Amino acid sequence: MDDLTRLVEIKDVYKSYGNLPVLRGVSLTIPKGEILGIIGPSGSGKSTLIRCINGLEEIQSGEILIKGQPISNRRESLEIRKKIGMVFQSFNLFPHYTVLENITNPCRVVNGMSKKRAQEVGESLLEKVRMQNKAHQYPGSLSGGEKQRVAIARALAMEPEIILFDEPTSALDPELAYEVFDTIKLLAEDGMTMVIVTHQIGFIKDLTHRIVFIDEGRICCSGSPDYILNQSEDPRLENFLMRIRGNL
C-alpha cells in the first residue's frame, strides 16, 4: 500500500478515561475507498476509536494520521478534521432549524459557502438521501430513520473524504434501520470511504470490504467479512457472534 492510498493511519494508540484503559495499543490502516466494519462487545472501545479518529477524544499515546497529517485537538488540526464526516447514533440535528437549514447553515458557517451555493448543495443532498420532500419540515416531525438520513446528508455537505458511523441504527427499529442502511449503500456505490461501528452483522457482511473485531481495547482479528463471520477460530469472536446471532 503506497502513501497516497493510506487515508487513515492509526499507530499504537492508547486511550484511557482516568484509570480505565479503553484502547490498548490499537494500530490500523484504512485505505482510500475502503468500507470498514468494526464490531465488538459493548465497552470494547469501538466508539472511542472512531471518536479519536475524528479528534473528539484525545489520545494518551500513539499517533493518528489523516492523509499523512497528524490529527489532534489543537486548533491547527481543524482543516484536517474537516476531511472527516461523523454520523452519531443520536442524530444531533438542530430542532429549531428545518431539515434544509440543518444542512445549509453548517455549509455557510464551517465551509464559508454562499447562501445560494449552500441551498443548491442542501437540495441536491436531500434528493440523494431521498428526503427532498421533507426539506421545510422540522426534525421533530420526522421518524428516527428520516432524522438519520438527514444527518448523513449533513455529513456529506462538508465534502468529507471519510465518514465515520457510530452505531447509526442502534436507536431504530428494523424497518427504519433498513432505510438508513439503504442510504449507506448509495454512498458505497459512490466510492466513499467509510468506517461503520455496528452490531448489525447481517448488514455489514454484504457491504464492507473488511471487518475488525475489537475486544477489551485491542484488535483481536481482522479480515474479510466471510473470514470474520464464518471462518475465524478466535474464541472471543466466536462467543461474541454467538450472542449477537442469538438475539437476532
Side-chain angles (χ1 to χ4, degrees):
M1 188 185 301
D2 60 51
D3 291 339
L4 294 177
T5 64
R6 291 183 177 132
L7 185 55
V8 179
E9 294 177 86
I10 302 166
K11 300 180 177 181
D12 199 27
V13 163
Y14 283 80
K15 165 69 181 176
S16 298
Y17 295 111
N19 294 324
L20 177 65
V22 182
L23 299 176
R24 310 178 190 219
V26 172
S27 295
L28 183 67
T29 298
I30 305 169
K32 183 176 177 61
E34 181 175 53
I35 303 172
L36 177 70
I38 300 180
I39 62 174
S42 297
S44 61
K46 309 182 301 297
S47 293
T48 298
L49 176 58
I50 63 171
R51 289 177 65 85
C52 289
I53 294 173
N54 200 28
L56 296 174
E57 298 283 355
E58 187 173 1
I59 61 177
Q60 271 74 51
S61 64
E63 191 173 35
I64 298 176
L65 307 175
I66 308 296
K67 298 183 72 173
Q69 301 178 69
I71 189 166
S72 69
N73 286 345
R74 295 172 300 181
R75 187 178 184 87
E76 56 265 31
S77 71
L78 180 60
E79 289 303 313
I80 303 172
R81 293 172 63 189
K82 282 182 181 181
K83 302 177 188 297
I84 308 168
M86 185 90 177
V87 177
F88 301 89
Q89 61 186 40
S90 55
F91 322 127
N92 289 3
L93 300 180
F94 294 103
H96 56 293
Y97 290 160
T98 66
V99 164
L100 183 58
E101 288 169 344
N102 263 280
I103 300 172
T104 59
N105 287 1
C107 285
R108 297 179 66 190
V109 173
V110 179
N111 281 1
M113 288 186 188
S114 68
K115 182 176 181 179
K116 179 181 178 182
R117 177 57 182 156
Q119 185 90 3
E120 292 171 349
V121 169
E123 290 173 350
S124 174
L125 289 173
L126 286 178
E127 184 174 358
K128 184 177 185 65
V129 300
R130 301 167 186 167
M131 288 291 294
Q132 64 269 32
N133 62 329
K134 306 284 186 176
H136 302 294
Q137 295 187 24
Y138 288 88
S141 69
L142 305 181
S143 70
E146 290 172 335
K147 290 176 183 177
Q148 198 60 292
R149 284 150 63 193
V150 174
I152 292 172
R154 182 178 59 186
L156 289 171
M158 297 296 101
E159 300 179 335
E161 296 194 35
I162 182 171
I163 298 183
L164 312 174
F165 293 87
D166 185 10
E167 295 280 8
T169 62
S170 64
L172 307 177
D173 63 41
E175 184 177 355
L176 297 180
Y178 177 81
E179 296 177 3
V180 176
F181 290 149
D182 199 41
T183 301
I184 294 175
K185 286 180 181 178
L186 293 176
L187 305 188
E189 292 171 2
D190 289 342
M192 173 62 69
T193 308
M194 294 183 280
V195 179
I196 306 168
V197 170
T198 184
H199 285 98
Q200 299 285 344
I201 58 175
F203 166 66
I204 61 171
K205 72 181 179 65
D206 296 322
L207 176 69
T208 54
H209 300 113
R210 181 168 51 127
I211 296 177
V212 167
F213 172 64
I214 295 180
D215 191 21
E216 297 182 349
R218 296 184 177 91
I219 293 179
C220 298
C221 50
S222 172
S224 69
D226 180 60
Y227 172 76
I228 293 296
L229 301 179
N230 301 313
Q231 299 180 39
S232 173
E233 297 181 356
D234 184 288
R236 287 175 294 182
L237 173 58
E238 288 182 351
N239 184 54
F240 169 74
L241 292 175
M242 189 177 351
R243 295 201 310 271
I244 289 292
R245 286 164 174 157
N247 290 328
L248 294 179

